[in-house]
Amino acid sequence: MKTELKAKFLQHILDKKKGEEGFTLIELLVVIIIIGILSAIALPSFLNQANKAKQSEAKTYVGSMNRAQQAFYLENASFTSSIGALGLGIATQTVNYNYQVTLTGTSVATNQAIVRNTSAPLKSYLGGVEVTTQQTTNEATTVAVLCESSDAMVNGGTNATGTVPYTAGAPTCPANFISLAK
């Protein structure tokens, strides 16, 4: 009888442990709700980073085009309207942007990163390079500016289809654009 009692006791303990395995429905729901809250917080930040990466391409390309225009001017005494002639090896069209150069006379070049999809959450970029004379030494030099549109295209931003204005011998950013670097 003792062994029978021991067996029933052991069976009762094992049955009790089996009933305690796993998670309850409430525990699973709490975990799912917590994961949902965390993803709702993180998703907008993640999407914003993706847009910044796309804009970084355009910012880098226009900055490189500015520097290449300055180097081209030093070698040829003029700017070029051909991106291929700059020797950068960049495409004139990518998934998000079209790139082009507009010349104003012989001493001004505007490099443009035009947003292809005007409803995209991306900003456009303008770069300007001008030949100017240093007041202290009377030497000719090139000066550049890099401009970013104030708002993304989806928020009514201005696309980079115009040229960079030049005042007092230096390129400046047009209306609705902010200067990033000179």
Side-chain angles (χ1 to χ4, degrees):
M1 186 90 168
K2 283 186 172 184
T3 56
E4 210 175 291
L5 185 60
K6 285 182 183 178
K8 283 187 177 183
F9 180 70
L10 286 174
Q11 186 177 7
H12 177 68
I13 291 173
L14 290 175
D15 285 343
K16 193 174 186 182
K17 285 186 178 179
K18 282 184 183 178
E20 293 175 4
E21 289 180 12
F23 300 103
T24 66
L25 183 60
I26 293 175
E27 290 170 331
L28 290 173
L29 285 173
V30 168
V31 169
I32 290 171
I33 289 170
I34 291 172
I35 290 172
I37 290 170
L38 290 175
S39 64
I41 292 169
L43 186 63
S45 176
F46 173 74
L47 293 176
N48 191 29
Q49 292 303 319
N51 290 334
K52 284 184 180 181
K54 292 173 185 175
Q55 290 175 176
S56 178
E57 168 206 302
K59 195 183 314 182
T60 301
Y61 276 21
V62 172
S64 296
M65 290 165 66
N66 279 354
R67 288 184 292 283
Q69 286 282 15
Q70 289 174 310
F72 190 90
Y73 189 87
L74 287 174
E75 293 175 5
N76 302 297
S78 66
F79 293 117
T80 181
S81 61
S82 168
I83 293 175
L86 295 174
L88 293 172
I90 62 173
T92 58
Q93 180 175 321
T94 62
V95 174
N96 300 303
Y97 290 93
N98 289 329
Y99 300 96
Q100 65 185 34
V101 178
T102 302
L103 297 180
T104 307
T106 58
S107 62
V108 175
T110 300
N111 304 304
Q112 303 158 329
I114 302 166
V115 179
R116 294 184 66 196
N117 179 1
T118 56
S119 62
L122 300 174
K123 295 182 177 184
S124 61
Y125 295 88
L126 279 173
V129 184
E130 177 187 18
V131 178
T132 188
T133 304
Q134 294 267 343
Q135 290 180 352
T136 56
T137 62
N138 279 342
E139 293 179 349
T141 186
T142 57
V143 290
V145 67
L146 178 61
C147 307
E148 176 183 72
S149 61
S150 302
D151 294 314
M153 295 304 295
V154 72
N155 295 333
T158 305
N159 217 341
T161 54
T163 58
V164 173
Y166 298 87
T167 56
T172 57
C173 293
N176 300 321
F177 281 83
I178 56 171
S179 177
L180 297 178
K182 289 192 176 194

